[in-house]
């Protein structure tokens, strides 16, 4: 696995984030729906534990991926990521997903996003992040808007969803300055 | 009705594959590529590499805008296939006129929709590239996404990155816009 440099564990009220490891492959592969706040959380999404192990091992230095765990537990209940990191422009793409429907709507997503954004802006020094969402996913839209992301536009027919059918992708962004202002306000 | 011969119709530009003759102008035609070196031999090796991938398997397709009367390459267009339906267009022009640029962009769009049968063709530009933005709007592109302060210029000023998108009319007729 590539050297990720400084990628710490991060702790919230009811959850904590730890860097993705090969042992998480099974949990991810078994999750029924890894897509929540990202239209395409990983390129060429693997479909088996072996494929996920290979995917974990192949993560490069432009990606930081964490698994989400409940406090005092090790089992992954979701993932969070900062991808396509461009330090020249100080931009990146964020994404997150919770594996199980019963974990949604409980504020876990907001907590995860707050930790990831705090790391992105205050530790990494990024200027701006974006995230992409399947336009049909109203839950995710509400969730990222609640975290302060602003709609920047949409891509037509961006996500293959069936034979010859495609869904649009919404693109949201969040500037560090807006994030800090919202925290203070 | 006046008669005419097909041969008498002159088409000033066309898109075609890269040729050895284009290697000299390669950095202008495909400025996004950092692999082709200064030496002609390096460029030839690069061309051999990128063109050895079978048609249909290569996610990055490069075409040249040719002036048909001279065979000279005026522009290079790169289609990066994101999926079966979408490609990202990048380009490089030799010093030329706005009309030639428009012709090139029109041909690239037609190629995307008729030959590649794409649903959407996208291209990025940085805030302030007004002439280019106007050309794209004139030929049917629309602003799809505007990421504020996403790009840095040489003085480290933060500029917006704007994605323009052209959508296949057949898709629009079926799905609306």
């Amino acid at each position: 696995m590539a050297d990720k440099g400084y990628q710490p564990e991060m702790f919230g009220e009811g959850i904590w984030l730890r860097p993705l490891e090969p042992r998480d492959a099974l949990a991810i592969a078994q999750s029924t729906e890894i897509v929540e706040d990202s239209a395409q959380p990983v390129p060429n999404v693997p479909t088996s534990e072996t494929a996920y192990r290979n995917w974990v091992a192949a993560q490069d230095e432009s990606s930081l991926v964490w698994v989400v765990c409940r406090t005092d537990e090790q089992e992954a209940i979701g993932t969070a990521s900062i991808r396509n990191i461009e330090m020249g422009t100080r931009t990146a793409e964020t994404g997150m997903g919770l594996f199980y429907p019963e974990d949604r709507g409980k504020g876990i997503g907001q907590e995860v996003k707050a930790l990831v954004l705090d790391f992105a802006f205050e530790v990494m020094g990024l200027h701006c992040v974006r995230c992409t969402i399947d336009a049909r996913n109203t839950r995710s839209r509400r969730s990222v808007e609640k975290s302060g992301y602003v709609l920047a536009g949409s891509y037509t027919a961006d996500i293959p969803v069936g034979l010859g059918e495609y869904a649009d992708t919404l693109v949201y962004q969040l500037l560090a300055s807006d994030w800090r202002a919202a925290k203070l306000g | 009705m006046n008669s005419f011969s097909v041969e008498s119709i002159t088409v000033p530009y066309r898109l075609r594959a890269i040729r050895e003759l284009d290697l000299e102008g390669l950095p202008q035609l495909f400025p996004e590529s950092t692999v082709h070196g200064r030496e002609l031999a390096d460029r030839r090796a690069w061309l051999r590499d990128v063109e050895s991938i079978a048609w249909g398997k290569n996610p990055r397709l490069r075409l040249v805008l040719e002036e048909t009367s001279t065979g000279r390459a005026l522009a290079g267009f790169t289609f990066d296939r994101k999926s079966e339906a979408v490609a990202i267009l990048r380009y490089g022009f030799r010093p030329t006129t706005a009309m030639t640029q428009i012709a090139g962009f029109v041909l690239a769009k037609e190629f995307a929709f008729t030959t590649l049968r794409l649903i959407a063709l996208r291209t990025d530009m940085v805030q302030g590239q007004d002439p280019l933005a106007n050309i794209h709007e004139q030929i049917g592109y629309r602003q799809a996404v505007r990421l504020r302060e996403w790009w840095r210029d040489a003085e480290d000023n933060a500029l917006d990155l704007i994605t323009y998108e052209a959508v296949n009319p057949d898709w629009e007729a079926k799905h609306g816009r």
Side-chain angles (χ1 to χ4, degrees):
Chain A
M1 200 167 171
D3 177 15
K4 290 307 177 62
Y6 179 61
Q7 185 186 357
E9 296 171 347
M10 299 190 285
F11 297 86
E13 292 282 315
I15 50 97
W16 67 293
L17 309 184
R18 60 175 171 78
L20 176 72
E21 297 174 20
R23 66 180 160 123
D24 299 311
L26 182 60
I28 299 173
Q30 286 180 336
S31 68
T32 54
E33 185 186 4
I34 63 166
V35 179
E36 187 187 340
D37 285 351
S38 177
Q40 290 146 316
V42 291
N44 304 317
V45 178
T47 53
S48 68
E49 182 185 359
T50 304
Y52 260 107
R53 279 187 181 279
N54 293 337
W55 173 72
V56 170
Q59 292 301 296
D60 65 23
E61 289 168 16
S62 69
S63 298
L64 298 175
V65 185
W66 290 267
V67 292
V68 182
C69 305
R70 294 188 186 89
T71 299
D72 298 330
E73 293 182 12
Q74 288 283 330
E75 185 196 357
I77 62 167
T79 59
S81 62
I82 303 175
R83 299 180 180 284
N84 300 321
I85 301 165
E86 295 283 351
M87 291 314 290
T89 53
R90 288 186 285 132
T91 58
E93 184 157 352
T94 59
M96 70 148 295
L98 295 174
F99 300 157
Y100 309 110
E102 60 267 29
D103 287 327
R104 296 177 192 145
K106 295 178 177 173
I108 295 175
Q110 294 301 315
E111 205 174 344
V112 171
K113 277 196 270 292
L115 289 172
V116 169
L117 291 170
D118 210 48
F119 183 77
F121 292 137
E122 306 300 356
V123 180
M124 295 179 71
L126 297 181
H127 177 68
C128 187
V129 296
R130 70 171 209 163
C131 71
T132 55
I133 291 176
D134 183 329
R136 301 165 303 168
N137 191 338
T138 51
R139 175 194 288 270
S140 290
R141 293 172 63 171
R142 282 198 302 270
S143 175
V144 297
E145 285 166 5
K146 199 172 171 185
S147 291
Y149 287 79
V150 176
L151 186 65
S154 66
Y155 297 133
T156 302
D158 196 45
I159 314 165
V161 293
L163 201 58
E165 292 299 321
Y166 297 86
D168 294 351
T169 289
L170 300 180
V171 181
Y172 282 84
Q173 76 167 147
L174 180 55
L175 287 163
S177 53
D178 292 343
W179 162 250
R180 291 192 188 102
K183 272 173 76 177
L184 291 171
Chain B
M1 186 177 172
N2 295 331
S3 63
F4 66 91
S5 66
V6 171
E7 290 75 23
S8 69
I9 302 172
T10 56
V11 182
Y13 308 106
R14 66 172 183 138
L15 292 179
R16 62 158 172 78
I18 310 172
R19 292 177 184 160
E20 288 251 341
L21 286 172
D22 306 324
L23 291 180
E24 195 179 329
L26 213 57
Q28 284 177 303
L29 302 175
F30 299 99
E32 87 285 356
S33 175
T34 56
V35 294
H36 43 66
R38 290 183 182 178
E39 300 297 326
L40 219 52
D42 294 337
R43 297 178 194 169
R44 191 170 290 117
W46 171 82
L47 180 62
R48 194 171 52 239
D49 286 347
V50 300
E51 293 298 293
S52 63
I53 303 169
W55 175 268
K57 301 248 180 185
N58 192 344
R60 180 167 291 173
L61 183 62
R62 294 179 177 87
L63 294 175
V64 159
L65 177 72
E66 179 193 79
E67 187 176 48
T68 48
S69 60
T70 62
R72 187 165 181 263
L74 301 176
F77 290 96
T78 304
F79 299 82
D80 271 320
R81 295 294 292 266
K82 187 175 181 297
S83 70
E84 290 291 311
V86 176
I88 314 298
L89 179 71
R90 285 177 292 161
Y91 44 82
F93 282 90
R94 281 180 159 166
T96 187
T97 64
M99 284 309 295
T100 302
Q101 291 190 355
I102 291 171
F105 287 125
V106 167
L107 287 173
K109 196 173 82 154
E110 283 179 6
F111 177 81
F113 293 157
T114 57
T115 304
L116 299 179
R117 305 195 65 78
L118 298 179
I119 295 172
L121 182 64
R122 294 185 211 141
T123 188
D124 290 338
M125 61 187 78
V126 178
Q127 170 190 356
Q129 292 184 292
D130 295 341
L132 264 179
N134 289 338
I135 286 175
H136 282 82
E137 286 172 3
Q138 278 176 40
I139 63 171
Y141 282 77
R142 68 179 175 89
Q143 186 175 306
V145 172
R146 186 179 189 113
L147 288 166
R148 287 168 53 211
E149 300 183 18
W150 193 262
W151 190 257
R152 296 275 162 175
D153 66 11
E155 283 78 45
D156 203 35
N157 298 308
L159 301 173
D160 297 355
L161 182 69
I162 306 161
T163 302
Y164 280 83
E165 182 181 73
V167 178
N168 191 317
D170 293 342
W171 176 268
E172 283 188 329
K174 190 176 169 190
H175 295 86
R177 189 166 191 172

